[in-house]
Amino acid sequence: AAFMAIHFLQIQEEQAGPYAALFATTFMIGRTATAHLWGLLADVYGRRVAMIISLLGSGLASLWFGMTNSYSQAIIARGMIGALNSIVGVSKTVATELAFHNFDKCSNKNEDREVAVDDNEQHDQQLQQLETRIVGRVMSMRAYGFLIAPAVAGFLADPLDVREKGVTYNASIEGSVLSKYPYLLPNLLGAVLCCVSAMAVYLCIPETMPQC
């Protein structure tokens, strides 16, 4: 984000802090503004629909972010990524509901085997342990993403730039896509991962919305 601000605004590195922070701020503003709407969508049309739309929308917004030509466009695109991002909230809900669903299946099997399940306290404790384990796995994947993504994005960002020599682009590739959009690669990778994740949700994640 800092180098993107430097690229667009032509400022010094020591001046880039506030402008880079605005990218994160805009993302969170967009995410906060639409969080309730995503919750309504997930409750009305289903968790899978919300997750798939969010992933595909985030992928398209990431492409837009990587192909912006000005700082103001980048700020708007970053806010749009946040507005279309519902994965954290909906995935927690799905994880919790999957825990209940799996626990109910196990309980039914135990009842068929004439195993006593009258102890409500033990029942609740087992359910809580299963829920904690499933939600913990979901959130641990998010933590791994926070750990790996900055390194990968930093490696892919502005591949034609030679900062040590003060050279921005190689003249022989001035007209290439990466020369015109130096921050496209990490966002393109993000868009591909969003599409793959949307396909995985469609194929592998059952609908967990309670049917009234």
Side-chain angles (χ1 to χ4, degrees), residues 28-74:
M28 295 308 299
I29 290 175
R31 184 170 160 184
T32 302
T34 60
H36 183 66
L37 297 177
W38 282 114
L40 290 176
L41 179 67
D43 286 340
V44 174
Y45 296 102
R47 306 346 181 181
R48 279 161 45 96
V49 171
M51 293 178 73
I52 291 172
I53 293 176
S54 175
L55 285 166
L56 295 178
S58 296
L60 291 175
S62 294
L63 280 180
W64 179 25
F65 183 64
M67 300 182 71
T68 53
N69 292 315
S70 68
Y71 181 75
S72 58
Q73 288 181 19

Side-chain angles (χ1 to χ4, degrees), residues 111 115-123:
E111 289 173 0
V115 177
V117 289
D118 295 332
D119 190 347
N120 290 330
E121 184 176 350
Q122 183 180 3
H123 178 278

Side-chain angles (χ1 to χ4, degrees), residues 111-189:
E111 289 173 0
D112 292 340
R113 296 172 185 173
E114 298 181 353
V115 177
V117 289
D118 295 332
D119 190 347
N120 290 330
E121 184 176 350
Q122 183 180 3
H123 178 278
D124 293 342
Q125 184 178 5
Q126 292 175 344
L127 177 58
Q128 185 177 10
Q129 289 175 350
L130 180 61
E131 179 184 354
T132 301
R133 191 159 58 247
I134 294 179
V135 175
R137 288 177 181 174
V138 171
M139 299 312 296
S140 66
M141 292 301 103
R142 181 169 178 252
Y144 285 130
F146 273 118
L147 180 65
I148 297 172
V152 175
F155 178 76
L156 295 176
D158 204 359
L160 308 182
D161 186 24
V162 187
R163 296 190 182 92
E164 292 81 3
K165 297 181 180 180
V167 178
T168 304
Y169 301 116
N170 188 315
S172 63
I173 47 178
E174 186 68 35
S176 70
V177 174
L178 293 180
S179 178
K180 188 175 181 180
Y181 306 113
Y183 298 95
L184 175 61
L185 277 185
N187 291 282
L188 179 61
L189 176 60

